[in-house]
Amino acid sequence: MSTATSMPILTCSLVLLTSSFLINFANGGSFTDDIRISWGNGRGKILDNGKILTLSLDQYSGSGFESTHEYLYGRLDVQIKLVAGNSAGTVTTFYLSSKGPAHDEIDFEFLGNVTGEPYTLHTNVFAQGKGDREQQFHLWFDPTKDFHTYSILWNPQHVIFLVDNIPIRDFKNHESRGVFFPKKQPMRLYSSLWNADDWATQGGLVKTDWAQAPFTAYYRNFNANACVWNGRSSSCSSADKPMGSTPSSSTKGDWYRHELDSYSYRRMRWVQRKYMVYNYCADIKRSPRGRPRECRLR
Ligand SMILES: *[C@@H]1O[C@H](CO)[C@@H](O)[C@H](O)[C@H]1NC(C)=O
């Protein structure tokens, strides 16, 4: 008797669960709602009704912004137009990071250069405090002429870095083989423009030319397709359970199960062959006892 009445309730709550889950699945993307300027004493600005954000740097300070939410998995995209002209010594960052010891972090850093020489795009992944996974690239375009899209796709199996939707790096979850993966710690998104002329450009040889200051980077079209962390749980936590429902069957949730198909894989390999200028996996001096484990796995 009691089973007969509980059946419809169960079905009903399943439907509710699924739909609330779709709604909670944040698809935000406004500088006014999802981002706050976090430092720089007026050097970071949100302009044009939230359509444009600018960060600037002078000899007294840089500036930065952060997301109002923390995320536990997501696809985060933003368009950036980097500091033009002589940007040597400046670093523009766009990264996710958790707090506390043994932190997780997923980094994009753009290292400036003297006029006419290429920016270096520096990437890194930290899991449970362990980083040292740098890969650096030059770009196949001038990142100071126009806006280009930079994206971090972070799901339970992959951390994928994309430039104009072309994957440049895929850090896979090899937890089963003893390699930590950023999985449990919610991360906030951060971005900054600051001076790093002690190391950034040509190994610290080229200093920032303060006569060019203020240096300015421009941002637009921020988009977070992400699972929002509320302090106790994630807005997509049911996605981990084998419910058969993925976060939205529409394209909005595709990132959660995304992995590279053979076309994207070939494009990534093309970028890596032609534009990668540093790869920790190939740095024999740094790992005399053999390459890091994830570099030996496919
Ligand atoms: C700057 O330009 C030099 C010379 O082309 C290049 O080797 C270097 O990777 C570039 N980027 C940085 C950040 O130094």
Side-chain angles (χ1 to χ4, degrees), residues 8-294:
I9 296 171
L10 187 77
T11 322
C12 178
S13 62
L14 262 179
V15 170
L16 272 177
L17 233 168
T18 317
S19 56
S20 70
F21 166 68
L22 291 181
I23 293 159
N24 288 339
F25 193 71
N27 178 17
S30 131
F31 287 132
T32 37
D33 299 341
D34 303 301
I35 293 292
R36 59 184 173 229
I37 304 284
S38 44
W39 62 283
N41 214 352
R43 290 174 183 81
K45 293 190 180 77
I46 294 175
L47 308 167
D48 205 5
N49 287 320
K51 287 205 194 68
I52 295 277
L53 187 155
T54 63
L55 291 183
S56 73
L57 162 72
D58 57 37
Q59 65 250 68
Y60 306 106
S61 179
S63 50
F65 67 82
E66 62 185 32
S67 58
T68 50
H69 298 296
E70 289 181 288
Y71 307 108
L72 191 60
Y73 304 130
R75 177 176 170 138
L76 300 144
D77 311 88
V78 76
Q79 297 192 311
I80 312 176
K81 192 159 87 164
L82 291 163
V83 173
N86 183 359
S87 58
T90 72
V91 174
T92 307
T93 66
F94 177 67
Y95 64 103
L96 286 167
S97 180
S98 70
K99 290 200 198 81
H103 80 299
D104 295 339
E105 187 175 317
I106 302 170
D107 290 325
F108 266 116
E109 295 187 5
F110 301 89
L111 317 183
N113 218 330
V114 291
T115 309
E117 296 300 330
Y119 261 82
T120 295
L121 168 51
H122 172 102
T123 64
N124 204 354
V125 177
F126 287 72
Q128 300 189 29
K130 163 90 177 66
D132 298 330
R133 297 199 174 93
E134 300 86 357
Q135 288 187 348
Q136 297 184 336
F137 304 82
H138 286 163
L139 294 163
W140 49 97
F141 51 84
D142 179 349
T144 72
K145 282 256 149 57
D146 292 298
F147 284 94
H148 290 270
T149 306
Y150 303 96
S151 317
I152 296 171
L153 188 158
W154 171 37
N155 70 27
Q157 295 306 323
H158 298 265
V159 170
I160 301 175
F161 296 80
L162 303 108
V163 174
D164 287 337
N165 225 19
I166 300 175
I168 62 165
R169 177 172 187 180
D170 179 9
F171 181 77
K172 290 191 194 135
N173 184 340
H174 285 305
E175 248 179 353
S176 62
R177 315 287 287 273
V179 182
F180 291 138
F181 185 83
K183 247 194 123 166
K184 299 230 157 58
Q185 309 188 72
M187 298 201 264
R188 198 179 292 284
L189 180 77
Y190 299 91
S191 179
S192 57
L193 172 56
W194 52 289
N195 177 45
D197 66 0
D198 49 338
W199 61 271
T201 303
Q202 301 176 29
L205 288 176
V206 185
K207 301 298 173 193
T208 304
D209 177 7
W210 294 114
Q212 309 298 315
F215 301 97
T216 305
Y218 300 83
Y219 296 76
R220 68 180 190 198
N221 292 336
F222 170 65
N223 195 46
N225 255 300
C227 305
V228 172
W229 179 255
N230 71 7
R232 278 167 293 110
S233 66
S234 144
S235 61
C236 331
S237 52
S238 49
D240 273 338
K241 298 190 185 112
M243 276 184 55
S245 71
T246 58
S248 163
S249 51
S250 76
T251 55
K252 293 303 170 211
D254 286 353
W255 62 266
Y256 194 86
R257 294 282 160 96
H258 186 77
E259 51 185 21
L260 301 181
D261 58 20
S262 59
Y263 173 69
S264 318
Y265 181 80
R266 281 200 307 276
R267 295 181 95 189
M268 179 176 79
R269 294 296 301 151
W270 171 80
V271 171
Q272 293 178 346
R273 264 197 312 275
K274 294 198 74 152
Y275 297 100
M276 189 187 273
V277 295
Y278 177 80
N279 182 3
Y280 76 111
C281 284
D283 193 340
I284 313 209
K285 279 191 292 249
R286 262 176 78 184
S287 37
R289 274 170 283 136
R291 297 196 300 152
R293 184 169 297 168
E294 69 272 18

